[in-house]
Amino acid sequence: MRAFVEFSQQVLSGAALGCIYALIALGFVLIYKATEVVNFAQGELMMLGAFLGYTFISLFGLPFWLGLPLAVVCMAGIGGLLDRIVVRPIVGQPVFAIIMVTLGMGFVARSGASLVPAWGVDTHVFATPFTGKVASIGPLVASHDQLAIMTTTAVLVAVLFLFFRYTRIGIAIQAASQNQLAAYYVGIPVKTICSLVWGLSAAVAAVAGILLAPVVLVHANMGFIGLKAFPAAVLGGFGSIPGAIAGGLIIGVVESLAGFYLPEGFKDVAAYVVLLLVLAIRPQGLFGEGLRKKV
Amino acid sequence: MTVLVEAHNVEARYGPVQALRGVGLVLREAEVVAVLGANGAGKTTLLRILCAALDPDQGSVKFLGRDIAGSSPDRLVRQGLAHVPEGREVFPLLTVRENLIAGAFVRRERAAIAADVDRMYGYFPSLRERRDQHAAVLSGGEQQMLAIARALMSRPRVLMLDEPSLGLAPALVKDIFALLRRINRESGVSILLVEQNARQALSISDRGYVLELGRIVLDDSSERLAANDDVRESYLGIRDKGVRGERRWRRKKRWR
Ligand SMILES: Nc1ncnc2c1ncn2[C@@H]1O[C@H](COP(=O)(O)OP(=O)(O)O)[C@@H](O)[C@H]1O
Ligand SMILES: [Mg+2]
């Protein structure tokens, strides 16, 4: 019985962290599907979102429920601008050039953040209304931060699902990511849609950053968590939104279990071990679509 | 009748390949015009230029009296020019209904869009049956119907189609072409039909152009084109008494 409770406890905390991976992976997938660009700076977008949240809420003293949407909207704007100014001019260049540019964006974001006077290279404690409270669910315990992460992720995923399924813009985004040329031919302004998707991904990243901040503290290198979200996206079949969510959760849980049951050091490679195993059996990823995208 | 599309002296090159040479063309209100040509004649290139997906190397194209230079396909859709591209190009992972909704992207009125979705199901009953299935699983004919219906969802004044008959059974082609004519009569939409299938295209069009190696070599009413010896020989596969060694327009070209 005790062993089972321990196990469940690890699954619970793994799922909470997995939600963060899932949200970042979701950003990878959205951008990749719409623009065929793999944005290696997705983790850094999350970091910037966390810093903006920290600035508005802890430094400026805005109420959490005002500071959060403000940071998210700012990040959406930054994401859209990044697409417009940095990414759009290089679309159509060789893949490695695009990869270098997004990697470079990550470097610039990290050093840029540490140059901001109030941010610097220090870690910052960022308290949210959830911080420090703990709930018990039967024999299990979960911090309110963890519960907030899981609830918000669930709500966000549901909202995105409805958005893609039922709104004019959501359907247009899907159309543009399935066949760009045909999207132009039905009157969808594909470039604007791409900027919109970058904005959306940056906004989701900001939410992830602000949820994660109380757990891991805010610092310029917190975006490295993107290195774990990337295998999550690949695991799910890079290009599938449900896949990104499932991939994130799986990697979070496996990592947490590995950290608890296996010797030290296994935790950090667990994500990649799972990825290799899954890809060996299902090369297209868990939710990978058999259909190849048309040019 | 008002001229909707007007191309003048259009030239296009892909590197060393000259795809179009001095092409001129006119499409008027409520007309159905066919552009006939064999494989590689430059039909797709011409349509791409007419909808601003491709810039001509020379010459000009006007839509509704305005030069389209610097415009783009999505902007022209807003002004009433819809294009059914070669190879259908449906959105594979959207359902039939979602494909139609995507086709109405430039419109806002929800009720009118829903009514038009129903109108499309009326034209193409098999799409209604398959409305909740992904477009990827439709047959070639159904995908072609979907591509046409999707283009009509923008309520265009001009509908341009690139070889809609490609890969479809003759009976189905006949049905689809008859439907195009009906839609043209009912809604007044002008149709520019680019085809290799000359017989079917001429049977529903008012006028036609014959494109050969990037040049317009004939331009006449569809009736007269269908009766033209050269067209009968090269595009309808009919050989009349006495084998003609040379086609007339070829001879004319050489003497120029
Ligand atoms: N993307 C391209 N690159 C190079 N040559 C092309 C390209 N597209 C078409 N062509 C050439 O231009 C000519 C006209 O092609 P196209 O317009 O596709 O003809 P059609 O649609 O009548 O079959 C052909 O000789 C073809 O080989
Ligand atoms: Mg063609």
Side-chain angles (χ1 to χ4, degrees):
Chain A
M1 184 60 202
R2 192 166 144 252
F4 179 71
V5 170
E6 264 174 15
F7 177 82
S8 308
Q9 184 65 51
Q10 291 308 316
V11 170
L12 182 71
S13 12
L17 188 58
C19 283
I20 299 291
Y21 296 155
L23 290 181
I24 303 172
L26 186 71
F28 277 128
V29 168
L30 286 177
I31 289 179
Y32 177 72
K33 280 186 72 157
T35 64
E36 292 201 338
V37 170
V38 178
N39 175 26
F40 285 101
Q42 194 64 28
E44 276 67 32
L45 290 178
M46 184 208 73
M47 178 270 292
L48 288 179
F51 264 113
L52 281 183
Y54 166 75
T55 306
F56 291 144
I57 297 160
S58 294
L59 296 183
F60 295 176
L62 294 181
F64 181 78
W65 294 113
L66 180 61
L68 172 80
L70 205 57
V72 169
V73 168
C74 287
M75 280 310 295
I78 290 174
L81 281 178
L82 277 180
D83 174 60
R84 186 70 195 79
I85 296 166
V86 183
V87 181
R88 193 178 298 173
I90 56 151
V91 164
Q93 299 298 315
V95 176
F96 83 91
I98 299 178
I99 291 176
M100 290 313 294
V101 167
T102 65
L103 280 174
M105 270 163 37
F107 275 109
V108 171
R110 280 197 298 278
S111 40
S114 51
L115 288 176
V116 175
W119 296 0
V121 290
D122 304 329
T123 53
H124 304 275
V125 179
F126 176 28
T128 66
F130 314 109
T131 312
K133 296 184 195 132
V134 171
S136 45
I137 312 156
L140 304 178
V141 286
S143 70
H144 279 201
D145 280 320
Q146 288 176 325
L147 294 178
I149 289 173
M150 290 191 276
T151 315
T152 312
T153 304
V155 171
L156 205 55
V157 168
V159 167
L160 284 176
F161 174 81
L162 296 175
F163 169 71
F164 282 120
R165 197 69 188 272
Y166 295 109
T167 68
R168 168 174 168 269
I169 301 287
I171 290 176
I173 292 177
Q174 290 194 67
S177 64
Q178 289 171 28
N179 190 331
Q180 263 196 18
L181 185 66
Y184 272 118
Y185 286 154
V186 298
I188 295 171
V190 177
K191 289 179 183 154
T192 311
I193 291 285
C194 288
S195 299
L196 207 68
V197 169
W198 270 81
L200 185 62
S201 295
V204 172
V207 172
I210 292 173
L211 290 172
L212 183 66
V215 183
V216 302
L217 306 179
V218 182
H219 56 94
N221 285 338
M222 75 187 284
F224 281 128
I225 201 170
L227 293 180
K228 299 242 179 78
F230 188 70
V234 178
L235 186 63
F238 223 101
S240 153
I241 290 173
I245 309 299
L249 287 175
I250 290 173
I251 286 192
V253 169
V254 167
E255 199 178 271
S256 165
L257 292 174
F260 189 75
Y261 291 108
L262 296 180
E264 194 158 346
F266 277 92
K267 183 169 183 271
D268 288 324
V269 295
Y272 287 90
V273 173
V274 174
L275 178 64
L276 290 176
L277 283 179
V278 170
L279 292 188
I281 300 163
R282 247 185 97 82
Q284 72 273 41
L286 292 176
F287 289 67
E289 286 140 358
L291 282 162
R292 294 282 310 277
K293 186 167 159 177
K294 289 203 170 184
V295 192
Chain B
M1 270 189 297
T2 332
V3 172
L4 300 183
V5 179
E6 193 177 358
H8 187 67
N9 198 26
V10 168
E11 308 244 333
R13 223 169 288 119
Y14 296 102
V17 180
Q18 178 111 32
L20 293 177
R21 306 155 197 256
V23 169
L25 169 152
V26 173
L27 179 68
R28 298 189 187 82
E29 183 110 58
E31 264 188 326
V32 177
V33 171
V35 176
L36 309 178
N39 219 348
K43 304 183 296 298
T44 299
T45 306
L46 178 60
L47 275 202
R48 289 216 172 119
I49 287 173
L50 294 182
C51 77
L54 200 67
D55 289 330
D57 290 305
Q58 259 180 59
S60 65
V61 177
K62 283 185 185 167
F63 178 57
L64 304 179
R66 256 170 302 165
D67 199 313
I68 65 163
S71 191
S72 56
D74 55 310
R75 267 188 267 168
L76 288 182
V77 175
R78 271 167 215 282
Q79 294 163 27
L81 183 120
H83 180 182
V84 182
E86 186 174 45
R88 304 160 193 133
E89 306 281 345
V90 293
F91 301 118
L93 300 176
L94 293 186
T95 63
V96 166
R97 209 187 71 84
E98 288 167 341
N99 265 274
L100 296 179
I101 300 286
F105 181 81
V106 299
R107 299 167 56 196
R108 302 285 185 141
E109 339 80 72
R110 278 177 160 260
I113 291 173
D116 274 355
V117 169
D118 263 340
R119 194 161 64 92
M120 294 308 144
Y121 292 155
Y123 289 141
F124 305 102
S126 62
L127 293 185
R128 187 199 300 274
E129 279 165 37
R130 299 181 146 245
R131 64 186 158 214
D132 292 322
Q133 296 183 21
H134 282 175
V137 304
L138 301 187
S139 70
E142 287 164 340
Q143 287 190 357
Q144 187 63 62
M145 295 178 206
L146 179 57
I148 294 171
R150 182 183 66 182
L152 288 170
M153 286 299 296
S154 67
R155 291 230 161 172
R157 289 183 72 179
V158 171
L159 179 68
M160 307 200 303
L161 302 105
D162 195 346
E163 296 204 42
S165 75
L166 208 68
L168 305 190
L172 186 59
V173 175
K174 202 168 176 193
D175 288 350
I176 290 183
F177 280 22
L179 195 62
L180 286 174
R181 184 81 232 196
R182 182 180 140 209
I183 293 168
N184 157 262
R185 292 230 169 86
E186 285 178 8
S187 67
V189 61
S190 306
I191 294 180
L192 187 69
L193 177 62
V194 159
E195 263 299 339
Q196 284 194 56
N197 189 334
R199 188 190 310 270
Q200 301 272 14
L202 289 176
S203 75
I204 64 149
S205 53
D206 304 309
R207 294 190 298 119
Y209 295 87
V210 176
L211 192 62
E212 187 164 285
L213 295 176
R215 228 186 276 277
I216 293 204
V217 291
L218 277 176
D219 152 15
D220 213 331
S221 76
S222 296
E223 245 165 65
R224 277 198 295 268
L225 282 178
N228 180 296
D229 288 341
D230 296 321
V231 173
R232 287 164 70 86
E233 196 181 305
S234 331
Y235 294 97
L236 302 178
I238 301 165
R239 291 222 155 178
D240 297 320
K241 53 240 133 147
V243 180
R244 316 172 61 88
E246 201 116 332
R247 283 179 243 163
R248 252 182 239 150
W249 63 76
R250 286 243 175 102
R251 253 182 276 151
K252 211 158 64 187
K253 275 277 94 80
R254 201 165 293 161
W255 293 335
R256 210 194 258 168

